[in-house]
C-alpha cells in the first residue's frame, strides 16, 4: 500500500507561534485528509485536500499532488491546538478509498 | 451538521467474549468503513463496505471479525472472541462517494481484560 510519512513527529510551541506540518506520500492519491485528534481521541476533520490550497480561519493546507506532499499551516497557535495531527490518503489503486494514515505529529502548545 | 454516531463510547469486556460495536452513518452516505487505533499508534484500516457487501479488508480483519448493515441505518462490527490485543479505539466512517471525504465517528474505546 501507499506509504505516508509525517514530519516532524513532535512539535512544541509557545502560544502565538506559527507552524508547518508536512505529509509526504509515495504514490498518486485520490483523497487526502488532515485530522486533529483531540485529547478525548476524537478525529476531527480539518481539510479534504487532494490538491490545491484551502484555508479555514488560522489553519490552511496545501497539497502539491505532482510532488506528493501536503502541508498544514497553523498560525497564531493556541493551547487548544494541542493534540495529534494526522494526514491520511487513499491511493488510486484502492477499491473503495481506504485511507492510509501517517504516524502523526504530536503538537504541544504552551501558554 | 450531520454526523456519524457510534455506541457505546467505551466498552469493557472479558477476553473470549463477543462484542458488537455499533455505528449510524450519515443518512445519504453509501460507503462505510471501520478503522482502529491501538493506543499511541496510527489509525489502521479494517474493512470497507458498499452495496451490502465487504469491498476490501485488511490483514487485521480475520475470521474473528464481521460487519453487517442489518437494517439500512446501522452498521455494526462484531468481534467474535476478543483477545487482549483487540483493545483499541474503533472508528466508524462513511462517505457519499468512493473518493469523497470520509466522516469519522467519535470512536468506541474497547478494553479487553
Amino acid at each position: 500500500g501507499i506509504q505516508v510519512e509525517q514530519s516532524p513527529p513532535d512539535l512544541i510551541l509557545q502560544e502565538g507561534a506559527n507552524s508547518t506540518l508536512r505529509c509526504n506520500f509515495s504514490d498518486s492519491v485520490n483523497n487526502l485528509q488532515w485530522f486533529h485528534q483531540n485529547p478525548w481521541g476524537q478525529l476531527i476533520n480539518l481539510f479534504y485536500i487532494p490538491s490545491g490550497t484551502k484555508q479555514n480561519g488560522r489553519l490552511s493546507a496545501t497539497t502539491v499532488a505532482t510532488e506528493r506532499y501536503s502541508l498544514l499551516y497553523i498560525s497564531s497557535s493556541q493551547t487548544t491546538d494541542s493534540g495529534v495531527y494526522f494526514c491520511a490518503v487513499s491511493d488510486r489503486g484502492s477499491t473503495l478509498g481506504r485511507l492510509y494514515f501517517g504516524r502523526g505529529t504530536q503538537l504541544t502548545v504552551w501558554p | 451538521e450531520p454526523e456519524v454516531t457510534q455506541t457505546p463510547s467505551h466498552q469493557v469486556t472479558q477476553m473470549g467474549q463477543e462484542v458488537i460495536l455499533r455505528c449510524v452513518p450519515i443518512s445519504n452516505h453509501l460507503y462505510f468503513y471501520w478503522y482502529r487505533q491501538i493506543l499511541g499508534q496510527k489509525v489502521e484500516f479494517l474493512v470497507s463496505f458498499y452495496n451490502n457487501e465487504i469491498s476490501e479488508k485488511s490483514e487485521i480483519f480475520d475470521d474473528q471479525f464481521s460487519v453487517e448493515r442489518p437494517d439500512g441505518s446501522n452498521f455494526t462490527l462484531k468481534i467474535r472472541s476478543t483477545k487482549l490485543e483487540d483493545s483499541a479505539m474503533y472508528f466508524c466512517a462513511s462517505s457519499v462517494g468512493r473518493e469523497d471525504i470520509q466522516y469519522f465517528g467519535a470512536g468506541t474505546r474497547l478494553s479487553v481484560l
Side-chain angles (χ1 to χ4, degrees):
Chain A
I2 193 168
Q3 303 299 311
V4 182
E5 299 291 333
Q6 290 187 245
S7 60
D10 297 279
L11 189 57
I12 301 173
L13 300 172
Q14 195 101 45
E15 209 168 22
N18 301 329
S19 60
T20 301
L21 282 59
R22 187 176 180 103
C23 172
N24 292 333
F25 41 94
S26 60
D27 207 343
S28 301
V29 298
N30 283 331
N31 179 355
L32 189 147
Q33 293 182 231
W34 282 98
F35 297 89
H36 175 215
Q37 187 164 43
N38 64 22
W40 297 271
Q42 296 174 321
L43 287 170
I44 310 299
N45 267 313
L46 297 177
F47 293 102
Y48 167 74
I49 188 165
S51 65
T53 297
K54 291 186 178 179
Q55 178 151 11
N56 184 4
R58 295 181 297 103
L59 272 58
S60 63
T62 294
T63 297
V64 184
T66 52
E67 296 187 23
R68 298 183 184 167
Y69 72 89
S70 182
L71 302 174
L72 177 69
Y73 305 98
I74 305 174
S75 65
S76 304
S77 53
Q78 301 174 357
T79 55
T80 51
D81 294 332
S82 296
V84 184
Y85 289 80
F86 288 106
C87 168
V89 305
S90 69
D91 66 31
R92 295 200 172 164
S94 172
T95 309
L96 250 198
R98 69 181 275 183
L99 289 176
Y100 294 85
F101 281 74
R103 294 195 173 276
T105 292
Q106 172 78 57
L107 175 65
T108 304
V109 181
W110 293 99
Chain B
E1 179 176 294
E3 59 181 22
V4 176
T5 305
Q6 289 188 243
T7 55
S9 56
H10 191 190
Q11 173 99 42
V12 181
T13 189
Q14 296 289 326
M15 193 169 55
Q17 295 295 304
E18 174 184 286
V19 294
I20 297 176
L21 310 182
R22 302 181 191 280
C23 170
V24 179
I26 295 172
S27 63
N28 63 330
H29 286 191
L30 302 175
Y31 298 79
F32 313 111
Y33 310 84
W34 284 101
Y35 295 84
R36 80 168 187 192
Q37 183 184 31
I38 294 171
L39 187 63
Q41 297 188 24
K42 66 179 178 180
V43 179
E44 300 172 291
F45 168 81
L46 290 177
V47 66
S48 57
F49 192 87
Y50 169 71
N51 201 25
N52 279 321
E53 61 183 21
I54 290 174
S55 176
E56 188 177 2
K57 57 185 180 180
S58 71
E59 59 280 0
I60 302 169
F61 194 89
D62 61 23
D63 292 343
Q64 294 298 315
F65 291 89
S66 62
V67 289
E68 201 176 36
R69 189 157 160 80
D71 56 13
S73 63
N74 290 285
F75 180 49
T76 61
L77 174 69
K78 182 192 292 186
I79 309 174
R80 193 179 322 141
S81 178
T82 50
K83 307 183 186 74
L84 295 175
E85 54 265 36
D86 293 326
S87 294
M89 181 78 101
Y90 288 81
F91 292 102
C92 172
S94 69
S95 66
V96 169
R98 182 174 75 88
E99 298 176 13
D100 289 317
I101 183 173
Q102 292 184 25
Y103 293 89
F104 280 67
T108 293
R109 187 171 300 281
L110 177 65
S111 300
V112 182
L113 305 179

